Amino acid sequence: MAAASFTAAKFLAPAAARSGGDRAPFPAPSAFSMRSLRHRPARRLSSVLAVSSDVLKAAPAAAAYPAVTREEALELYEDMILGRNFEDMCAQMYYRGKMFGFVHLYNGQEAVSTGFIKQLNQPDCVVSTYRDHVHALSKGVPARAVMAELFGKATGCCRGQGGSMHMFSEPHNLLGGFAFIGEGIPVATGAAFAAKYRHEVLKQSSPDGLDVTLAFFGDGTCNNGQFFECLNMAQLWKLPIIFVVENNLWAIGMSHLRSTSDPEIWKKGPAFGMPGVHVDGMDVLKVREVAKEAIDRARRGEGPTLVECETYRFRGHSLADPDELRRPDEKSHYAARDPITSLKKYIIEQNLASEAELKNIEKKIDDVVEEAVEFADASPLPPRSQLLENVFADPKGFGIGPDGKYRCEDPKFTQGTAQV
């Protein structure tokens, strides 16, 4: 089955001025198909001044939205509301001293997580970043397990040992949460290799085809060597992986336009022979359509895809970031394009659901998040005996003494006087 054709302009954000001032915009990319991109030479623009999407002055009119059923639309809305309300509650709990360390929230980027992850099957894998709470929720990890992990409690999805940046759930095939940029991409590439090995060598494939891996990372990661190495390896072996760039335009406090020689990240895909697609990451229906084709392509054994989702985070880099580097007009511009508000408007205009039905979903999610907080708050802290678990491969190694007890339980252990 041939890959479906995409029109680049169909997925671009609407024309608007970015904080780039008087910078000239890129011309709109010409129409292309995912298949033809494999052979398309990278075009070097004479003046790299801005990312291509919402600074376009003459973008073609947006195409009609893809068909979405009532059930699909409500599933998307509920997942996005869960992500937003959960993160808002995390901010409250952080400032109340219930969470510790760095906490990076996902507000504003929900269309990317929902648009991609809700297209997956249970055996498919997700590899995330330090901004991973909502990816975990979209993959089906219960809100109470994610909240308890953030509280550092034994009932968390990692028994309180992972915290905000290291969500993991084997039953849901969520492979992390990685604190360092680019750290998860080789893990995701390995998971995709394992899926292909199971399919082609062990003959353990599912009826739908290959299991697929999504690797999420940000724009700042795309200047990291592991990114390029894994693009090459994935295309060389035709691995069933989608590299999803959540380009929120800022790498902590560094503007994407100042740090990247060519800010059109999607063009790095064709450089390795794989399709590269740019999509408006503030529109869940557009993200969903691109995700569906890329995932179907991977399942058929046609190899990887690089998808650049241009989005925006509504909060600072982390809850410790005062967010003083981004211009107020830039922030207000993207706040006006809130992906949840846009989907709600579409659902009502298309008579897919009433406002009262959407209010019921919001109330349901409020209850889920409140219950998650109550559960996390009432849960026990991990025992000290858990401290050295999952550290040493040999369970009778350094962490456990001759008597079979954990050395860290010796009262003298922290005084440096315990026999080792």
Side-chain angles (χ1 to χ4, degrees), residues 15 25-26 28 55-61:
F26 277 132
V55 291
L56 294 174
K57 300 299 183 184

Side-chain angles (χ1 to χ4, degrees), residues 36-42 265-277 306:
S36 67
L37 265 177
R38 298 176 189 171
H39 310 292
R40 178 180 175 182
I265 298 171
W266 66 268
K267 295 199 307 187
K268 294 175 172 64
F272 288 91
M274 74 177 67
V277 180
L306 174 64

Side-chain angles (χ1 to χ4, degrees), residues 166-208:
H166 300 284
M167 296 291 165
F168 176 90
S169 176
E170 182 182 6
H172 300 89
N173 287 306
L174 175 71
L175 305 184
F178 291 88
F180 291 99
I181 64 167
E183 186 181 16
I185 301 179
V187 174
T189 305
F193 178 84
K196 184 161 186 173
Y197 187 87
R198 287 194 302 269
H199 179 80
E200 296 186 354
V201 179
L202 302 180
K203 308 300 180 185
Q204 297 176 353
S205 59
S206 67
D208 293 337

Side-chain angles (χ1 to χ4, degrees), residues 3 92 147 164 264 375 414:
Q92 292 184 42
M147 189 67 75
S164 173
E264 291 184 298
F375 172 79
T414 55

Side-chain angles (χ1 to χ4, degrees), residues 26-44:
F26 277 132
S30 58
F32 62 96
S33 70
M34 296 185 75
R35 185 176 296 280
S36 67
L37 265 177
R38 298 176 189 171
H39 310 292
R40 178 180 175 182
R43 178 169 56 89
R44 185 72 185 166

Side-chain angles (χ1 to χ4, degrees), residues 116-366:
F116 268 95
I117 297 177
K118 302 315 282 187
Q119 300 294 305
L120 296 179
N121 298 332
Q122 192 280 332
D124 297 328
C125 294
V126 168
V127 177
S128 185
T129 66
Y130 47 76
R131 205 178 301 278
D132 58 354
H133 315 159
V134 177
H135 293 156
L137 295 171
S138 292
K139 196 61 171 72
V141 183
R144 53 166 37 197
V146 179
M147 189 67 75
E149 188 61 36
L150 286 158
F151 275 46
K153 297 299 184 71
T155 54
C157 58
C158 296
R159 300 189 301 163
Q161 289 182 276
S164 173
M165 295 189 282
H166 300 284
M167 296 291 165
F168 176 90
S169 176
E170 182 182 6
H172 300 89
N173 287 306
L174 175 71
L175 305 184
F178 291 88
F180 291 99
I181 64 167
E183 186 181 16
I185 301 179
V187 174
T189 305
F193 178 84
K196 184 161 186 173
Y197 187 87
R198 287 194 302 269
H199 179 80
E200 296 186 354
V201 179
L202 302 180
K203 308 300 180 185
Q204 297 176 353
S205 59
S206 67
D208 293 337
L210 289 157
D211 294 333
V212 174
T213 299
L214 298 182
F216 289 95
F217 49 93
D219 47 285
T221 299
C222 296
N223 296 322
N224 188 300
Q226 294 176 101
F227 168 65
F228 296 100
E229 293 171 19
C230 290
L231 287 184
N232 177 66
M233 189 177 294
Q235 178 61 19
L236 178 66
W237 293 337
K238 293 292 187 291
L239 300 183
I241 183 170
I242 295 96
F243 298 99
V244 184
V245 186
E246 298 186 288
N247 181 3
N248 61 26
L249 311 182
W250 290 84
I252 309 182
M254 172 58 72
S255 167
H256 176 57
L257 304 180
R258 291 182 59 202
S259 63
T260 306
S261 60
D262 187 345
E264 291 184 298
I265 298 171
W266 66 268
K267 295 199 307 187
K268 294 175 172 64
F272 288 91
M274 74 177 67
V277 180
H278 178 280
V279 64
D280 177 4
M282 303 297 279
D283 189 321
V284 68
L285 297 181
K286 292 179 181 178
V287 172
R288 179 176 176 269
E289 186 173 1
V290 170
K292 185 178 187 306
E293 173 56 29
I295 291 169
D296 288 348
R297 213 178 144 267
R299 287 206 199 285
R300 295 192 297 264
E302 296 179 24
T305 305
L306 174 64
V307 181
E308 177 187 359
C309 301
E310 192 169 328
T311 182
Y312 202 76
R313 53 175 164 78
F314 291 167
R315 292 179 179 268
H317 173 68
S318 74
L319 287 174
D321 175 14
D323 195 19
E324 297 174 344
L325 298 175
R326 301 185 299 173
R327 287 170 41 169
D329 59 338
E330 176 183 295
K331 290 189 278 188
S332 62
H333 163 62
Y334 282 98
R337 300 188 56 235
D338 188 316
I340 296 178
T341 303
S342 298
L343 178 61
K344 183 176 184 177
K345 181 174 182 286
Y346 174 80
I347 290 172
I348 293 172
E349 287 179 350
Q350 298 298 314
N351 296 315
L352 296 173
S354 66
E355 187 150 5
E357 289 175 297
L358 299 182
K359 287 286 185 186
N360 287 338
I361 290 175
E362 294 164 14
K363 174 63 168 63
K364 170 187 171 183
I365 295 304
D366 284 342

